[in-house]
């Protein structure tokens, strides 16, 4: 028979971690590091291309392809506590770029997908270098 204490302590630890961080997990621990937000349905193909490129470089990404306004998508993903949002539209698709928005309305910039993936992987490496 397996003693149940290890399972209970793991659940308590997870609950304490969530409560302590208020859902703002470190970048290396968060289940979804990036969400790609297309401006409209016309840019869904480019958004999925960006997601595939990020997945190939080890960045956990998803696409929010709901038929909602951009402001609603941003708000919903802010509430999910996703650290980075990549906004793609006509300009970004034409030039092969992404517009980055950090959670909490922080840093905003336009860069290539490879530059963004390098930035995320570098941040994760810095956070985990002592481990």
């Amino acid at each position: 028979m397996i003693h149940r204490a290890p399972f209970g302590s793991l659940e308590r630890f997870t609950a304490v971690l969530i409560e302590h961080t208020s859902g703002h997990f470190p970048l290396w621990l968060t289940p979804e590091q990036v969400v790609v937000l297309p401006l409209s349905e016309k840019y869904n193909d480019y958004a999925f291309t960006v997601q595939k490129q990020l997945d190939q470089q080890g960045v956990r990404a998803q696409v929010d392809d709901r038929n909602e306004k951009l402001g609603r998508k941003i708000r919903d993903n802010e509430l999910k506590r996703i650290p980075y949002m990549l906004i793609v539209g006509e300009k970004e698709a034409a030039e092969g770029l992404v517009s980055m928005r950090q959670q909490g309305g922080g840093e905003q910039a336009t860069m290539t997908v490879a530059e963004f993936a390098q930035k995320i992987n570098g941040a994760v490496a810095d956070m985990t270098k002592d481990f």
Side-chain angles (χ1 to χ4, degrees):
M1 181 172 146
I2 298 175
H3 194 271
R4 294 176 60 152
F7 297 115
S9 62
L10 179 63
E11 291 166 351
R12 283 191 297 277
F13 171 75
T14 305
V16 168
L17 178 66
I18 292 171
E19 184 178 349
H20 178 71
T21 62
S22 300
H24 294 278
F25 293 124
L27 185 60
W28 60 271
L29 182 61
T30 186
E32 298 166 352
Q33 296 172 323
V34 179
V35 64
V36 183
L37 307 173
L39 284 175
S40 70
E41 292 178 355
K42 295 187 287 187
Y43 309 110
N44 283 351
D45 291 337
Y46 180 65
F48 283 107
T49 302
V50 169
Q51 178 197 18
K52 186 176 180 181
Q53 290 174 357
L54 290 172
D55 285 342
Q56 290 172 348
Q57 297 188 29
V59 178
R60 295 183 301 274
Q62 71 172 13
V63 175
D64 186 351
D65 60 349
R66 297 177 298 154
N67 191 15
E68 297 283 346
K69 292 184 179 181
L70 182 62
R72 175 67 188 249
K73 290 180 185 181
I74 290 173
R75 182 180 184 287
D76 290 347
N77 287 295
E78 286 275 345
L79 293 175
K80 288 180 182 178
R81 310 269 198 263
I82 298 177
Y84 289 96
M85 289 170 251
L86 299 180
I87 301 167
V88 295
E90 182 178 359
K91 177 184 171 188
E92 290 83 6
E95 299 176 9
L97 302 173
V98 292
S99 292
M100 180 196 72
R101 183 178 196 279
Q102 195 168 10
Q103 200 236 357
E107 180 183 354
Q108 295 182 357
T110 302
M111 59 187 71
T112 66
V113 178
E115 289 172 342
F116 178 74
Q118 183 179 12
K119 173 186 171 95
I120 294 296
N121 289 331
V124 169
D126 286 344
M127 290 177 187
T128 59
K129 69 181 174 190
D130 294 333
F131 300 108

